[in-house]
Structures are given as C-alpha cells and as structure tokens.
Amino acid sequence: MVWQQFWQQLVNGVTLGSTYALIALGYTMVYGIIQLINFAHGEVYMIGAFTGLIMVTVYKVNFMVAILAAMLVCIPLAILIERVAYRPLRRSTRLAPLISALGVSIFLQTLITLIKGGPNPLAFPQVIQDTVYVLGPVRFSTVQVLILVMASLLMVFLQFTVKYTRIGKAMRATSEDYETASLMGINVNRVVSFTFAVGAALAGAGGVLVGMYFNSIHPFMGVSVGLKSFCAAVVGGIGSIPGAMLGGIFLGIAEVMGVAAGFDTYKEAIAFGLLILVLLFKPTGLLGLPIQRKV
C-alpha cells in the first residue's frame, strides 16, 4: 500500500512539475540571454489561462485550439512587455528592470481583475473526456497524459530549436557574449524579442493545461506559480534549459510528496525550502555551470 501511494504521488508530482517546467523555461531563457529576471512572466501565464477559458466557453473550441490561441495571445504580449518595460532599461542598473517587471506584474493582475469584475476564481470547464486508467499500482487520468505529452513535445521542440536552428545559434551566441554577438552582425534585439516570445508561448500553453488540470483559474494565479517556477529555474540552474526542465519536475515531485506526507499547511514553502537547500550545497543549481564574470 505504501509503495502504491508512492508511485501514485510520483505520477502526480511529475504532472505538476511538467507545468512548472514550461513556465520555468521562460525565466531561464530570458536570464540566459540578458541576465534579467522577468517577474511579469507569471502574469503572461495567467493571461494564457484566461485566453484558454474564453476560447472553450465562448467560442466552444477544443483544447488544442484553446492552447494555440493562448500561445498566440501571449507571444505579442510578451514582445510588447519587453519592448516597453525592459528594452529602454537594458543598460541601466539591475534594480531598474526589476522594479519595472514588478510594475508590469501588478498592472496585469489589476487589469484582469477589473475586466473580470473581481478576484474570485472561475471554473475551467472539462474540455475532454477525463477517463481514469490503471497501470499496476498507478492511476492516471486523460488530462494527466495530455499534460505530460504536450509538455514533453514543447520542451523537445524548444531544445531542438535552440540546438539546431539559425535563431537558436543566435540565441546561444547572444547568451555567450551580448556585445560580441552584436558586433558580429546578430540582431540582438530580435533575438531577445524571440526569446520572450518563445517563453510566453510555453507559459500560455502551461496556463491552459493547468486550468484543465485544476479546473480553476484566477487573476492572481501567476504570483505563486510564477515564483515556484522561478525557484525551479534556479534549482535546475538558471540559464540552463535542461536544468529548468529538471528543476520543474523535481519541484513538482517535492511539493506533491510533501503534501502527501502531511505537510499541506507548508505547501507554498516547500519550493523555497528546496531552493535554499540546493543553493546551500550547489549555488549554481543542479545543472548550472560555474559563473564567470565577464570583463
């Protein structure tokens, strides 16, 4: 019975962690390119969830169209945020873009709250037949399978894009040395905008998947999930794409296991406790590389 519960919670943790990983990738890519923590990224994820809700309730589309619509809405939103709130501050002190990010985050939370008419949660309807399957000691649902498959495909696509495409090579070059990449003819502004766009697309998809999983969304959902996903990026190694994937899944498993062990009161603290432990013993994260100061 104990092992059965363990495997069940492991599956639940991997499912939750996959959504964290999708959002953590946005944090780690932006930081890897311009060393900026985009604290408005959680709100982009939230807007993706609301876009998915509108598509399935108002336009009666299927979940794949809802996910695609959320991605298409979040991409220009992220590009606009980067262009207006971050690009003018790129050469300023590190504190200025941080304050700007927090301002954008609060603005988007307030905007959606006003449009919605309050902060209360909205129910996310069941958009697919949620059948429960049994495989040995584990029970899993159709939604969990969908989340794992979609998250895996998106993460593999991202890794392929970064490793083998021209824009991916430009991203790696810009990450390696921003100034030199610019001198070599790379349009770094386009690379940065593309990075924000890709991260936003993943976050938008994650917002719809989370809405389907928990059947509830609200205007402030991006705060806690955004912070946890940022913790996942740091735990895995900020700036590392495989690290963000590993950190998200690791964090999801730790959170679900902690709740199953009776620490549900401390659910929100598990991510930050894990972050502290990892940073104490491996400051660069699980897959992070030693930081070399650029001169």
Side-chain angles (χ1 to χ4, degrees):
M1 180 63 70
V2 173
W3 279 108
Q4 182 178 356
Q5 293 177 349
F6 170 79
W7 288 113
Q8 183 64 60
Q9 298 306 326
L10 182 64
V11 171
N12 295 339
V14 172
T15 304
L16 179 63
S18 297
T19 64
Y20 287 156
L22 285 177
I23 306 163
L25 286 167
Y27 285 108
T28 205
M29 287 192 300
V30 170
Y31 184 85
I33 297 293
I34 56 175
Q35 283 72 56
L36 168 70
I37 304 300
N38 178 19
F39 279 116
H41 190 58
E43 279 56 53
V44 175
Y45 146 83
M46 176 267 294
I47 289 175
F50 273 92
T51 302
L53 178 64
I54 292 171
M55 295 302 295
V56 299
T57 55
V58 177
Y59 297 102
K60 309 297 182 182
V61 301
N62 61 42
F63 70 91
M64 287 300 299
V65 176
I67 290 174
L68 180 61
M71 296 171 75
L72 292 177
V73 167
C74 289
I75 285 173
L77 173 63
I79 293 175
L80 178 64
I81 291 173
E82 187 276 326
R83 183 65 182 87
V84 173
Y86 299 145
R87 188 178 298 182
L89 303 174
R90 197 175 293 168
R91 297 185 181 278
S92 63
T93 63
R94 290 184 178 271
L95 185 60
L98 175 61
I99 294 174
S100 180
L102 293 175
V104 172
S105 174
I106 295 171
F107 171 78
L108 292 176
Q109 292 169 20
T110 305
L111 177 64
I112 298 302
T113 302
L114 291 174
I115 294 174
K116 175 184 167 297
N120 296 328
L122 291 176
F124 202 102
Q126 184 176 338
V127 295
I128 60 173
Q129 185 67 33
D130 198 10
T131 306
V132 176
Y133 304 95
V134 179
L135 181 64
V138 177
R139 296 166 60 89
F140 53 92
S141 66
T142 306
V143 172
Q144 287 181 300
V145 174
L146 174 65
I147 290 174
L148 292 174
V149 171
M150 287 295 299
S152 299
L153 289 175
L154 288 170
M155 286 188 274
V156 169
F157 177 76
L158 173 64
Q159 186 71 355
F160 176 84
T161 300
V162 173
K163 286 287 186 180
Y164 300 108
T165 66
R166 184 168 183 173
I167 187 65
K169 293 178 182 179
M171 289 171 65
R172 287 185 279 129
T174 305
S175 175
E176 190 71 27
D177 193 315
Y178 183 94
E179 298 292 343
T180 302
S182 178
L183 293 174
M184 295 297 292
I186 295 175
N187 188 332
V188 293
N189 286 331
R190 183 179 300 172
V191 170
V192 172
S193 294
F194 180 81
T195 303
F196 271 82
V198 171
L202 296 176
V208 179
L209 293 174
V210 168
M212 294 170 56
Y213 189 45
F214 292 105
N215 301 119
S216 177
I217 62 174
H218 58 88
F220 299 98
M221 61 185 290
V223 178
S224 61
V225 174
L227 288 175
K228 289 177 185 178
S229 300
F230 170 68
C231 288
V234 177
V235 166
I238 191 76
S240 168
I241 291 177
M245 301 176 190
L246 176 63
I249 294 173
F250 188 32
L251 180 60
I253 293 173
E255 184 174 317
V256 170
M257 291 294 186
V259 172
F263 297 102
D264 51 314
T265 305
Y266 305 99
K267 176 183 176 182
E268 302 300 328
I270 291 175
F272 303 102
L274 181 62
L275 174 65
I276 292 171
L277 287 176
V278 170
L279 292 180
L280 282 174
F281 295 100
K282 199 173 190 305
T284 57
L286 298 176
L287 298 183
L289 299 175
I291 299 174
Q292 297 180 355
R293 185 177 298 276
K294 296 178 182 179
V295 294

